[in-house]
Amino acid sequence: MRRIYWAVEVQDAHIVESLLHARGIGAWSFDSGILRLNWLKVLAYGGCRVMVANSDVEQALQIVRAYRAGELALPDEDADSPRCPACDRCVSLENPAPRRGVFAFLIACYWALPMLAIASASAAFRWIAWSGGLLALTLFLPGVVGRLVKSRFRCSDCGHTWRAPPRHSFGEMARTVEAAERNYDAAQPMDKTAL
């Protein structure tokens, strides 16, 4: 067996492994389990390795070269990423700016709450500041962060940033499918002799 690909991220190695499997080449990703458990030592372990049999090395290397060159990427119309409203291209990435703002806010809260508690003279006020601050962060922050961060995109071609419309929830999609099944069943006459 020979190593034909290695990746820092386990998901990338699994993508290459799946590409090789789809083309009839037996491939295995090694060290993915240990890297999931101890991801800080990914370079020390040599990354996640994708191995193939010696007889399949040349064909596998051609597929890996095509994957690295981007030749196996889906065309824009088949990609499941939102289109840029400004240039109508499918080259959008998640916008990191809102996440950075939320991260900076969390760091500020991490330092502001203890400083507020230390600066106060009374022990009761310290307890109220700590418990109230933690309660507010616990209850309200996930919803606010989700609203600020979710579905924000940036076009890598023109630089336009936008917020994608919200997707349907799983429950809404399930109800739509159930209604379509009921309509289909109602439209099909039932053959009672088959029962």
Side-chain angles (χ1 to χ4, degrees):
M1 292 191 76
R2 277 193 49 202
R3 183 190 80 181
I4 53 119
Y5 188 77
W6 80 276
V8 174
E9 295 186 11
V10 175
Q11 295 87 351
D12 191 28
H14 285 304
I15 288 171
V16 171
E17 180 186 7
S18 298
L19 283 171
L20 294 171
H21 280 295
R23 284 158 178 81
I25 299 173
W28 297 268
S29 61
F30 284 80
D31 301 326
S32 60
I34 193 77
L35 292 178
R36 283 187 185 139
L37 293 174
N38 200 354
W39 58 271
L40 290 173
K41 296 181 181 173
V42 66
L43 293 177
Y45 290 131
C48 188
R49 300 172 291 155
V50 178
M51 309 283 279
V52 297
N54 290 338
S55 58
D56 295 328
V57 169
E58 285 304 317
Q59 187 180 3
L61 284 173
Q62 289 175 356
I63 294 170
V64 168
R65 278 189 214 107
Y67 169 69
R68 284 185 171 165
E71 298 170 7
L72 302 177
L74 290 174
D76 283 351
E77 58 270 2
D78 292 339
D80 189 25
S81 63
R83 293 177 124 7
C84 175
C87 66
D88 199 35
R89 300 245 358 242
C90 230
V91 288
S92 57
L93 306 167
E94 285 192 30
N95 189 8
R99 294 179 195 274
R100 290 179 186 145
V102 168
F103 187 64
F105 174 75
L106 288 175
I107 290 174
C109 286
Y110 178 77
W111 289 103
L113 282 176
M115 293 303 151
L116 179 67
I118 290 170
S120 67
S122 103
F125 184 75
R126 259 188 247 139
W127 185 83
I128 291 171
W130 271 103
S131 61
L134 291 177
L135 181 67
L137 285 175
T138 305
L139 294 179
F140 302 114
L141 193 62
V144 171
V145 168
R147 178 80 178 132
L148 290 174
V149 172
K150 214 160 65 172
S151 301
R152 304 273 182 167
F153 295 99
R154 179 181 48 87
C155 181
S156 60
D157 269 0
C158 67
H160 179 69
T161 58
W162 75 95
R163 184 181 177 96
R167 295 184 177 180
H168 298 290
S169 68
F170 181 77
E172 291 171 348
M173 290 189 288
R175 286 189 289 277
T176 304
V177 169
E178 289 170 358
E181 287 175 349
R182 282 193 300 271
N183 291 340
Y184 178 79
D185 291 341
Q188 299 296 321
M190 186 174 187
D191 185 16
K192 295 188 179 184
T193 59
L195 298 175

